[in-house]
Amino acid sequence: MTAPSAAGGADDAGAPNKTKPLRVLRNAVLQIILLGLAVHLIVPQITSLEHSLAVLRAMNRMLVGLAVAAQIASYVGTGDMVRSLAAVAGKKVGVARGVAVTLAASSVGTVGAGALGYAAATFHWLARDIGDEAAGLTAALTPLLNNAVVLGVAVLGVALRLARFGATPEQAGMLEVTLGMLVVAVAAVALVARRPLSLADALDRLAGRVAAARGRVRPPHRIRSLAAPIVENARRLRRGGWRRPMLGAALNIGFDMLTLWLLFAASGHAVSPDVLCVGYGLPILVGKVGLLPGGIGVVEASMTAIYAGLGVPAGVVVVVVLGYRLLSFWLPLAIGFPMIGVVERAGDA
């Protein structure tokens, strides 16, 4: 794989960097702390290990098979979203190519730079097929649309829960956190949408100062030149082009949630829509903003704690959550690494 790299990186190959070991150590310590907290939260739920094993043995195999099919369908939804976003820019990408790039880029993002690594890898591979303009739009909006749907699911779940049972202090706290995330997300999108090229100019100036401080010469207006065509495509999205990409995002998240629900049903404990939405949306959001790649440990711990707190038996929760993460994270990650070579060869063909 040819990983995207920052311009001028070769100039620093032999330069001493005294702060790098400290930065690496600091990040490692933070990740260890977060992982320790995750383990602290999930281990108490595994006290009923015997119950969990009984649940695992009794799971309905047909429903487990349907859960696998639903997870595959969720990635087809992502492939359709990639195809639809490329079409907004007047380019063509097949759904299969979109799925392959998504799997490969997700693996890259898991082991390096998170969302930024995912976006960079997506751009790198799609630019060969559809050019920088369409690739930039697709790489930027694919995770944004997915996150918007997840946030909507979390808000819907909390609202349904409150409508059914009223607000306990814990649920009121979850609502406040979710609504706070929604306000911040909407404000950020509104700010960027209001004057996107002004933001690009500000980023160009900041990048220029950083380059100057490191003794480099950076071409002016580089970010603006990349942002201008993306802004034009964003105008097309606002004129109605957003509907099909948003449908792809909804299919991706909807089938991912169906995977989780089918696993609950297979265990003999199908959950209601409000319980499903709350237990799915909030942990996924927390996992996206955490430092650990793919929300490892954090998603499992928070999802387990929420479902157990909503009355799902602990043995069922452990089996279902770990099974869901196996299907939605670990298996796609294992497939994604060899897929890197596939998308590289397809791009070179």
Side-chain angles (χ1 to χ4, degrees):
M1 180 193 71
T2 305
S5 59
D11 297 338
D12 291 341
N17 189 346
K18 297 180 180 179
T19 62
K20 187 174 181 180
L22 292 177
R23 185 166 63 250
V24 171
L25 178 61
R26 180 189 61 196
N27 291 339
V29 170
L30 287 173
Q31 293 189 10
I32 290 171
I33 291 173
L34 285 175
L35 185 59
L37 289 173
V39 171
H40 176 72
L41 288 171
I42 200 171
V43 165
Q45 303 297 333
I46 310 181
T47 54
S48 56
L49 182 58
E50 184 177 349
H51 182 201
S52 297
L53 293 175
V55 170
L56 184 62
R57 287 192 293 266
M59 289 186 77
N60 186 304
R61 289 180 174 81
M62 184 183 72
L63 291 178
V64 172
L66 289 175
V68 174
Q71 189 58 216
I72 294 172
S74 75
Y75 272 88
V76 175
T78 301
D80 184 69
M81 177 168 49
V82 171
R83 185 202 63 79
S84 302
L85 288 170
V88 170
K91 303 294 183 178
K92 291 184 179 180
V93 174
V95 172
R97 174 70 172 171
V99 172
V101 168
T102 298
L103 284 167
S106 297
S107 297
V108 172
T110 299
V111 298
L116 291 177
Y118 170 86
T122 301
F123 175 84
H124 171 70
W125 287 312
L126 287 181
R128 302 179 178 187
D129 303 327
I130 57 178
D132 290 356
E133 176 184 335
L137 179 77
T138 304
L141 290 188
T142 299
L144 182 64
L145 293 178
N146 271 339
N147 292 342
V149 175
V150 174
L151 186 58
V153 166
V155 173
L156 175 63
V158 174
L160 289 175
R161 191 72 185 171
L162 293 178
R164 286 185 63 189
F165 301 106
T168 66
E170 293 79 8
Q171 291 168 342
M174 285 192 298
L175 179 61
E176 290 173 1
V177 171
T178 305
L179 292 180
M181 290 180 177
L182 179 61
V183 169
V184 171
V186 170
V189 171
L191 178 63
V192 173
R194 184 176 178 84
R195 301 188 67 181
L197 293 182
S198 297
L199 176 62
D201 289 336
L203 292 174
D204 267 320
R205 291 192 295 270
L206 176 61
R209 293 193 186 100
V210 172
R214 301 180 67 182
R216 297 180 183 175
V217 177
R218 184 179 183 279
H221 309 301
R222 186 175 181 181
I223 297 177
R224 183 184 177 94
S225 65
L226 291 173
I230 294 176
V231 170
E232 176 56 34
N233 286 323
R235 293 194 181 100
R236 297 178 196 172
L237 286 171
R238 289 199 298 270
R239 291 195 293 265
W242 59 271
R243 293 187 180 91
R244 187 56 188 266
M246 182 58 79
L247 174 61
L251 289 173
N252 171 240
I253 300 304
F255 279 112
D256 194 47
M257 293 177 63
L258 180 60
T259 300
L260 183 59
W261 185 87
L262 284 168
L263 290 175
F264 273 118
S267 70
H269 196 96
V271 295
S272 60
D274 58 310
V275 172
L276 177 67
C277 290
V278 172
Y280 174 88
L282 293 179
I284 296 297
L285 288 174
V286 171
K288 288 179 181 295
V289 301
L291 296 178
L292 293 174
I296 297 173
V298 176
V299 172
E300 291 86 347
S302 54
M303 193 173 281
T304 298
I306 290 175
Y307 280 128
L310 292 174
V312 182
V316 171
V317 171
V318 170
V319 171
V320 169
V321 169
L322 294 182
Y324 162 74
R325 287 291 279 173
L326 174 66
L327 293 179
S328 65
F329 178 73
W330 291 108
L331 287 181
L333 182 65
I335 296 171
F337 283 116
M339 196 63 66
I340 292 173
V342 174
V343 296
E344 277 287 340
R345 287 192 294 272
D348 293 336

